[in-house]
Amino acid sequence: MSLARLLRARLSESQICELREAFARIVDVAPTFRPVTPGGSPMSVAITNAGSLGWTSTQRDGYHYTTTHPTTGLPWPPIPELLRELWREHTCATIEPECCLVNLYRAGSKLGLHVDRDEPAAADVPILSVSIGAPAVLRVGGRSRKSPTETMIVRSGDVLVFAGDDRHVYHGIDRALVSPSEPVRINFTLRRVSKP
Ligand code: MD6
Ligand code: FE
C-alpha cells in the first residue's frame, strides 16, 4: 500500500468530535447489528450504514446492498456532510458516494482479510475510509489472497484512500486496540455502488 494513500492525522480533534456526534445520530435511526456471513456465523464487528444504499450480509442472500435497515425497515440516514467533503477532496468531486458503511469494533472484534468486490458496477471508483476512536491493526496484502501481507496501525483521525490498483487489494482488521479510555473503534467506509 503506497503511503500516499494513507493520510495520517487528516482530521482535527474537533472533526473527530463531529464524527462521534454524527455516529450517535446515525445509530439513533439505524442501530448497529451483526450481519451473518454466507457461512452462517455472525460477524464480530457490529455495523450500520448511512446513504442511499447500505451494505449488509445474510446467510440466505450473502453480501449485498439494501435501501433500508434490516430490522427497522427505515431508509438509512444521510451520509454526514464532513465525510462527503472528505470524499470530494480525496476521491472524486464529480461522483457521489452512495454507501457509508459504519463498522463498530469492541474488544475482540476483527475483520477477516477481504477485497471490497460487492460494487461491480463501480469497481473503478475509489473507496474512502475514515477511522476514529481506538487504534487498530490493519493488515494489507496484494491483489491475490496469497500475496504477502504487512500490518500497520490505523489511528483516530487517519484517512485511507483505496484507489487505482489499491482499490482491489486484500485487507482486514486483525484487532482493535481498545482501552478503558477508548473502548471502541469506529470506521466509516464510503463507496459508490451503482454505475456512475
Ligand atoms: C475497517 N475497512 O477499517 C475496515 N475497505 O474497519 C475496510 O474494510 C476497508 O478501510 C475498503 C477500503 C478501505 C477500508
Ligand atoms: Fe474493506
Side-chain angles (χ1 to χ4, degrees):
M1 149 135 300
S2 57
L3 285 178
R5 303 287 185 204
L6 171 59
L7 308 165
R8 284 268 184 227
R10 169 64 185 77
L11 302 184
S12 65
E13 279 307 317
S14 78
Q15 288 174 317
I16 291 170
C17 268
E18 194 177 327
L19 287 183
R20 285 187 202 276
E21 288 164 11
F23 172 77
R25 280 193 301 272
I26 291 169
V27 297
D28 225 29
V29 179
T32 59
F33 59 98
R34 285 173 61 195
V36 176
T37 64
S41 10
M43 289 172 60
S44 63
V45 178
I47 74 157
T48 187
N49 291 274
S52 54
L53 292 170
W55 183 91
T56 190
S57 178
T58 58
Q59 186 166 19
R60 196 191 68 173
D61 297 327
Y63 305 140
H64 63 287
Y65 284 91
T66 64
T67 55
T68 55
H69 187 281
T71 56
T72 68
L74 294 172
W76 304 105
I79 298 177
E81 188 50 38
L82 173 54
L83 294 174
R84 289 186 168 279
E85 284 166 17
L86 291 166
W87 170 276
R88 284 194 288 268
E89 181 177 345
H90 297 294
T91 64
C92 21
T94 54
I95 300 172
E96 289 288 315
E98 293 171 305
C99 172
C100 173
L101 169 62
V102 183
N103 292 316
L104 176 68
Y105 296 76
R106 298 188 177 90
S109 304
K110 55 187 186 323
L111 187 63
L113 207 62
H114 68 277
V115 175
D116 289 37
R117 56 166 122 247
D118 302 319
E119 311 75 26
D124 297 330
V125 181
I127 296 178
L128 182 89
S129 161
V130 180
S131 300
I132 61 169
V137 181
L138 170 72
R139 183 171 292 278
V140 184
R143 293 183 65 121
S144 154
R145 189 175 273 284
K146 292 180 191 144
S147 313
T149 60
E150 55 185 280
T151 59
M152 61 181 101
I153 306 291
V154 178
R155 296 187 184 80
S156 190
D158 289 353
V159 171
L160 277 149
V161 181
F162 276 33
D165 278 351
D166 288 343
R167 170 70 178 73
H168 306 282
V169 297
Y170 277 88
H171 58 280
I173 297 290
D174 286 4
R175 62 186 190 282
L177 305 171
V178 299
S179 63
S181 61
E182 273 301 7
V184 299
R185 169 177 186 259
I186 301 162
N187 171 261
F188 303 91
T189 307
L190 275 76
R191 309 183 179 123
R192 179 76 190 190
V193 180
S194 58
K195 194 173 161 62

